[in-house]
């Protein structure tokens, strides 16, 4: 019961802080719009890169452009949501160095909510918009015999994927506390993870694919469920029903990230500055 | 103190400042290596499908990827070098102090940025490159002359990269806020430098255009010099040409901007 109250309190605090940052970014409306468009272009470059590749070939790793776009749209949208909600986690290192992290610890609000909402940036909607646009095109272009289960699986993938990426953000933040700022290591898993998932699993080495299936289960963001939707073999030999376990994987990731976060907070030592 | 020694000292200062952040450097090495691995696999799949794309074989495509990861921070391809501090100084007005120094503004910042680049190359670039050479087939030359030419190409690439970012930074004199131009610099840098795909694999007329832009001097030219895919004098002349044009433009913009500062401060 107390746990549920803490969650509600955390969400409320998150909403308040995020709302404050949104209002502040809306002060300069034109500047805000320009940065949203800039964000859209910047994240769109990845897809332009894929289009450039397909201007030279018909398939990549045996997958066609609409199929790769399907992977891309799922990965970018899921990552975009996680990035919108928790993407400010990488300012954690700076906060620890200048000592302002200590202030967050003494406030009567869950630290995770404060850190997550810190510098909440609505401009990150650019990435989600771009991901959804590519996903929309991919859905209209892929050659799939849609069933009710497959249709339902698409939003489930996006939400579970966002939660899995969110867990990676939180675990990365916990690591930053222990390592005293290593935002770039976190980038390797977050930005690196979404880049990896934009390409078909057939492109990558067997060990790498196994690693992101069983160790860091990013494959459940899109590779496994998308392979089921498209009627392609799974990246590693898994039973058919595993296409539907993404929500379960997401829940396990959350629990693990939560434990890591608590351990990180316990290990925190102020710089004293 | 002679002018040469002054700028050498500034460069050494730039080197040392970045050398302080050891953990950040190690983290950067890790990130560049991870991205290198992901890119190598996608490039190998692409070259599997289209052997000889852009005139490269698979080993050359792999070499190109790791060179890109090596030079990403070195040449500040998406920005984030000396220009960031310069913009901040222009915004706050501290630039006025710099103008009183008995040193040339552009050379001062160039020296500092080259010092930064030298550190990023040694601290952050070499390890991912060696990792790539160890675990993937690469096309590296064995003759010393080629490596010497590559070193010159790298230096020129560093100067062109700085010259572009210097122009962008000076725009803050007029814009007062660097957010927009920084974003444009980032997009152009990543795309036109060939971080997404080698410029010689860009198709058609679009490819022709991107290959003559100054960004081509940053990654594409050093890569082609190293792998013997272009005539060395031609490549170096291309880089030097852009360096001269862009530095001259920076100088013109700088004197226009300084006149403005005096008027504003008077």
């Amino acid at each position: 019961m107390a746990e549920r109250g803490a969650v509600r309190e955390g969400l409320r605090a998150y909403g308040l802080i995020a709302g404050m940052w949104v209002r502040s970014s809306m002060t300069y409306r034109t500047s805000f719009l320009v940065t949203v468009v800039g964000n859209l272009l910047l994240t769109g470059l990845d897809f332009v890169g894929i289009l450039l590749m397909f201007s030279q070939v018909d398939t990549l790793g045996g997958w066609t452009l609409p199929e790769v776009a399907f992977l891309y749209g799922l990965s970018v949208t899921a990552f975009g949501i996680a990035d919108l909600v928790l993407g400010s986690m990488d300012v954690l290192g700076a906060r620890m160095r200048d000592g302002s992290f200590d202030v967050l610890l003494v406030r009567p609000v869950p630290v995770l909510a404060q850190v997550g909402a810190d510098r909440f940036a609505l401009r990150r909607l650019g990435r989600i918009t771009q991901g959804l646009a590519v996903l929309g095109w991919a859905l209209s272009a892929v050659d799939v015999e849609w069933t009710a289960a497959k249709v339902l699986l698409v939003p489930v993938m996006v939400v579970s994927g966002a939660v899995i990426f969110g867990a990676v953000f939180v675990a990365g933040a916990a690591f930053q506390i222990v390592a005293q700022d290593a935002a770039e290591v976190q980038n390797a898993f977050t930005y690196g993870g979404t880049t990896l998932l934009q390409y078909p699993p057939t492109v990558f080495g067997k060990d790498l694919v196994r690693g992101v299936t069983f160790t860091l289960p990013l494959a459940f963001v899109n590779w496994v469920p998308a392979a089921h939707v498209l009627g392609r073999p799974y990246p590693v030999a898994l039973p058919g029903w595993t296409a539907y376990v993404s929500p379960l994987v997401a829940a396990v990731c959350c629990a693990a990230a939560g434990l890591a976060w608590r351990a990180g907070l316990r290990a925190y030592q102020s710089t004293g500055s | 103190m002679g002018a040469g020694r002054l700028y050498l000292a500034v460069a050494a200062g730039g080197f040392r400042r970045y050398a302080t952040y050891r953990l950040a450097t190690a983290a950067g090495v890790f990130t560049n290596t991870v991205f290198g691995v992901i890119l190598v696999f996608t490039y190998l799949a692409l070259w599997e499908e289209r052997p000889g794309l852009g005139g490269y074989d698979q080993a050359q495509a792999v070499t190109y990827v790791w060179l890109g990861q090596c030079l990403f921070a070195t040449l500040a391809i998406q920005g984030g070098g000396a220009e960031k501090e310069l913009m901040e100084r222009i915004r706050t007005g501290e630039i006025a102090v710099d103008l009183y120094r008995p040193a040339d503004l552009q050379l001062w910042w160039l020296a500092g940025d080259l010092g930064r680049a030298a550190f990023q190359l040694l601290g952050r670039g070499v390890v991912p490159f060696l990792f790539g050479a160890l675990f993937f087939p690469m096309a590296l030359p064995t003759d010393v002359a080629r490596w010497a030419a590559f070193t010159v190409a790298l230096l020129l690439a560093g100067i062109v990269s700085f010259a572009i970012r210097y122009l962008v930074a000076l725009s803050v004199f007029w814009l007062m806020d660097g957010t927009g131009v920084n974003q444009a610099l980032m997009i152009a840098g990543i795309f036109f430098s060939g971080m997404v795909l080698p410029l010689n694999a860009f198709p058609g007329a679009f490819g022709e255009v991107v290959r003559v832009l100054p960004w081509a001097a940053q990654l594409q030219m050093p890569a082609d010099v190293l792998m013997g895919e272009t005539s060395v004098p031609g490549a170096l002349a291309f880089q030097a040409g852009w360096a001269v044009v862009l530095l001259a433009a920076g100088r013109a913009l700088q004197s226009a901007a300084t006149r403005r500062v005096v008027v504003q401060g008077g």
Side-chain angles (χ1 to χ4, degrees):
Chain A
M1 230 20 215
E3 191 75 1
R4 193 174 299 166
V7 170
R8 195 178 304 140
E9 183 58 27
L11 287 176
R12 208 179 75 86
Y14 183 96
L16 285 174
I17 302 171
M20 182 194 78
W21 283 105
V22 170
R23 274 197 304 283
S24 99
S25 70
M26 285 302 171
T27 316
Y28 303 103
R29 215 167 277 265
T30 321
S31 168
F32 170 75
L33 282 176
V34 171
T35 50
V36 170
V37 173
N39 240 275
L40 211 116
L41 288 176
L42 198 60
T43 57
L45 274 190
D46 293 337
F47 192 64
V48 174
I50 290 175
L51 287 177
L52 270 181
M53 288 182 174
F54 275 94
S55 76
Q56 307 283 5
V57 296
D58 295 327
T59 59
L60 194 65
W63 293 49
T64 62
L65 177 59
E67 289 174 318
V68 174
F70 186 51
L71 289 181
Y72 177 94
L74 288 167
S75 168
V76 169
T77 309
F79 179 75
I81 296 170
D83 188 43
L84 177 70
V85 177
L86 293 168
S88 301
M89 286 285 194
D90 52 6
V91 294
L92 194 65
R95 280 200 172 275
M96 286 192 303
R97 256 176 288 127
D98 67 16
S100 62
F101 187 63
D102 296 21
V103 180
L104 307 187
L105 292 175
V106 296
R107 285 197 194 129
V109 175
V111 183
L112 190 58
Q114 295 183 62
V115 176
D118 196 11
R119 302 192 171 275
F120 181 85
L122 214 51
R123 62 162 190 278
R124 296 202 170 104
L125 283 173
R127 188 191 300 273
I128 300 176
T129 313
Q130 188 256 335
L132 281 175
V134 174
L135 182 60
W137 176 77
L139 285 174
S140 72
V142 284
D143 187 20
V144 170
E145 279 193 34
W146 291 100
T147 62
K150 282 185 177 180
V151 172
L152 192 67
L153 194 52
V154 174
V156 167
M157 267 191 264
V158 171
V159 174
S160 318
V163 174
I164 293 174
F165 272 126
V168 177
F169 271 109
V170 172
F175 176 73
Q176 277 197 60
I177 297 181
V178 179
Q180 298 279 324
D181 184 22
E184 287 250 30
V185 173
Q186 184 172 347
N187 287 348
F189 289 102
T190 51
Y191 289 90
T194 179
T195 307
L196 181 82
L197 296 178
Q198 290 165 13
Y199 296 94
T202 45
V203 161
F204 299 100
K206 274 271 174 290
D207 290 328
L208 186 59
V209 174
R210 259 186 228 116
V212 293
T213 306
F214 300 116
T215 312
L216 184 70
L218 291 175
F220 292 93
V221 171
N222 63 356
W223 276 356
V224 176
H228 171 71
V229 169
L230 299 173
R232 287 193 164 269
Y234 287 3
V236 284
L238 287 171
W241 51 266
T242 49
Y244 293 91
V245 301
S246 294
L248 196 68
V249 172
V252 173
C253 285
C254 273
L259 288 177
W261 175 252
R262 281 187 192 187
L265 275 190
R266 265 202 302 278
Y268 174 67
Q269 284 182 326
S270 172
T271 49
S273 53
Chain B
M1 171 142 72
R5 277 187 35 209
L6 168 68
Y7 296 117
L8 210 60
V10 174
F15 186 98
R16 269 201 306 276
R17 272 178 61 192
Y18 279 83
T20 325
Y21 304 109
R22 275 189 218 135
L23 196 72
T25 305
V29 165
F30 180 73
T31 309
N32 283 125
T33 309
V34 168
F35 272 92
V37 169
I38 295 172
L39 266 181
V40 159
F41 278 119
T42 60
Y43 276 33
L44 284 175
L46 185 65
W47 261 264
E48 177 88 20
E49 213 90 33
R50 264 293 296 274
L53 175 62
Y56 287 167
D57 60 26
Q58 289 205 351
Q60 285 175 314
V62 171
T63 312
Y64 183 90
V65 168
W66 289 109
L67 197 61
Q69 292 305 315
C70 169
L71 298 183
F72 188 59
T74 306
L75 299 178
I77 281 177
Q78 63 163 0
E83 86 283 359
K84 230 172 170 179
E85 198 194 337
L86 178 56
M87 282 177 178
E88 196 52 27
R89 288 186 81 81
I90 295 172
R91 205 178 58 76
T92 57
E94 285 168 311
I95 192 76
V97 180
D98 299 355
L99 289 168
Y100 275 116
R101 288 205 188 104
D104 182 82
L105 191 70
Q106 194 184 32
L107 276 178
W108 172 280
W109 286 96
L110 172 62
D113 195 57
L114 287 180
R116 177 203 61 79
F119 174 75
Q120 297 286 39
L121 180 66
L122 296 174
R124 203 170 149 167
V126 170
V127 175
F129 194 76
L130 289 180
F131 176 90
L134 210 60
F135 291 100
F136 297 91
M138 290 208 340
L140 295 175
T142 45
D143 65 305
V144 184
R146 192 89 70 75
W147 283 100
F150 172 68
T151 311
V152 178
L154 268 192
L155 181 67
L156 287 171
I159 296 173
V160 171
S161 159
F162 166 79
I164 294 172
R165 288 178 286 118
Y166 191 69
L167 277 171
V168 169
L170 288 182
S171 73
V172 175
F173 270 115
W174 288 270
L175 299 172
M176 298 317 290
D177 177 47
T179 318
V181 280
N182 270 330
Q183 220 161 27
L185 178 74
M186 208 167 177
I187 294 170
I190 293 173
F191 198 68
F192 296 130
S193 294
M195 283 302 294
V196 177
L197 202 67
L199 298 180
N200 52 21
F202 277 44
F206 184 49
E208 307 273 330
V209 173
V210 294
R211 285 189 284 272
V212 295
L213 296 178
W215 286 277
Q218 296 183 47
L219 173 56
Q220 190 65 52
M221 287 298 154
D224 282 344
V225 166
L226 183 68
M227 299 189 288
E229 283 296 307
T230 181
S231 98
V232 173
L236 298 184
F238 175 83
Q239 291 182 298
W242 270 119
V244 169
V245 168
L246 293 169
L247 285 177
R251 205 150 264 278
L253 201 62
Q254 172 189 324
S255 65
T258 10
R259 275 198 300 278
R260 197 183 131 87
V261 167
V262 173
V263 172
Q264 209 179 28

